[in-house]
Amino acid sequence: MGAGSEQKSRSRRKRMTGKERREQLLDIGRELFAERGFDATSVEEIAARAGVSKPVVYEHFGGKEGIYAVVVDREMQKLLGMVGESLTADHARGKIENAASALLRYVEESSQGFRILARDSHAASGTGSFASLISDIATQVEHILAEEFRERGYDPKLAPLYAQSLVGMVALTGQWWLEVRKPKRDVVAAHLVNLAWNGLSNLEARPRLDSAPPSPRRRGE
């Protein structure tokens, strides 16, 4: 590479602002943490993919721990926000449907982020484990179940137990669905709600979400 090419390359790197460089390192770290996990990712590799030296990474984040902490915090806030926004239906089943759909939509749209949250639970995140994230989501669902329990004459004090069970079921199914991606998201959500709402003894043969559009009728039906 000639002197002119080296100067152009340095010039391109210099044009990136500190904020842009920070976001670039976060994006690269997110990709690597999703691919390999925290322990198998090195500062050297992050720097190499960014086309910078290791001191640049240390300058912005103090090491891979700093990048990981920001990535995990962003993903947790994104998932919690999606679930929180979904709890807007007028009736309890609709809220449960929306919450299950929101969690699965996050898995589908933010696969890298979900892999990081579900796999690592590393102390370097500083924001807690995947179990604590599930607990945070369950807290949002808990008041819905408590209200429903009161109306049906059940003990509302048991709502936290059921909320943990419900959210845990959806999250673990999401880990499985992340790899297989079949059946479609709404179908998975419908079956999860079918199990949660009706129980094994009253499963619907062909469950569907109340908010889902009707399936086209086949000839002869």
Side-chain angles (χ1 to χ4, degrees):
M1 181 182 292
S5 298
E6 291 179 358
Q7 289 177 352
K8 290 180 181 178
S9 177
R10 286 196 296 269
S11 177
R12 283 195 295 269
R13 289 198 293 270
K14 288 179 181 177
R15 284 200 295 268
M16 185 175 288
T17 66
K19 182 179 180 180
E20 289 170 341
R21 178 67 71 193
R22 181 180 173 86
E23 291 301 318
Q24 179 202 33
L25 293 173
L26 287 170
D27 288 342
I28 291 171
R30 185 174 184 267
E31 292 175 2
L32 289 171
F33 294 139
E35 290 174 10
R36 305 181 181 183
F38 177 84
D39 291 328
T41 298
S42 66
V43 172
E44 289 83 355
E45 188 166 10
I46 294 173
R49 286 202 185 184
V52 299
S53 62
K54 289 198 304 182
V56 173
V57 179
Y58 291 119
E59 177 185 350
H60 282 276
F61 293 99
K64 69 176 182 178
E65 293 83 2
I67 297 177
Y68 183 79
V70 175
V71 168
V72 169
D73 183 67
R74 284 186 176 185
E75 292 301 325
M76 290 181 74
Q77 293 306 316
K78 181 178 181 180
L79 176 53
L80 288 171
M82 290 174 67
V83 173
E85 292 173 2
S86 72
L87 301 175
T88 56
D90 294 331
H91 53 93
R93 175 163 179 161
K95 290 178 181 179
I96 299 301
E97 287 184 355
N98 290 347
S101 295
L103 203 157
L104 291 174
R105 180 162 57 86
Y106 171 79
V107 173
E108 185 174 58
E109 297 176 357
S110 301
S111 298
Q112 288 183 342
F114 187 74
R115 287 183 192 279
I116 294 170
L117 295 180
R119 179 175 61 193
D120 280 312
S121 301
H122 200 280
S125 70
T127 52
S129 65
F130 187 56
S132 68
L133 173 62
I134 296 305
S135 182
D136 288 342
I137 298 175
T139 299
Q140 298 188 40
V141 177
E142 182 181 315
H143 70 279
I144 300 172
L145 295 181
E147 182 179 342
E148 187 72 14
F149 279 17
R150 290 190 189 95
E151 292 180 0
R152 294 173 178 265
Y154 302 146
D155 185 355
K157 293 180 181 179
L158 293 174
L161 185 157
Y162 283 88
Q164 291 283 344
S165 301
L166 174 62
V167 175
M169 177 179 69
V170 177
L172 289 175
T173 302
Q175 287 183 275
W176 164 80
W177 185 68
L178 175 65
E179 305 301 333
V180 299
R181 295 302 178 96
K182 292 180 180 180
K184 293 182 179 179
R185 185 182 71 211
D186 283 350
V187 175
V188 175
H191 281 278
L192 284 169
V193 175
N194 185 28
L195 175 59
W197 193 261
N198 297 311
L200 287 172
S201 62
N202 294 295
L203 287 179
E204 299 169 358
R206 296 183 179 180
R208 58 184 298 274
L209 302 178
D210 288 347
S211 57
S215 302
R217 294 180 63 85
R218 299 177 181 177
R219 292 182 178 179
E221 289 187 345

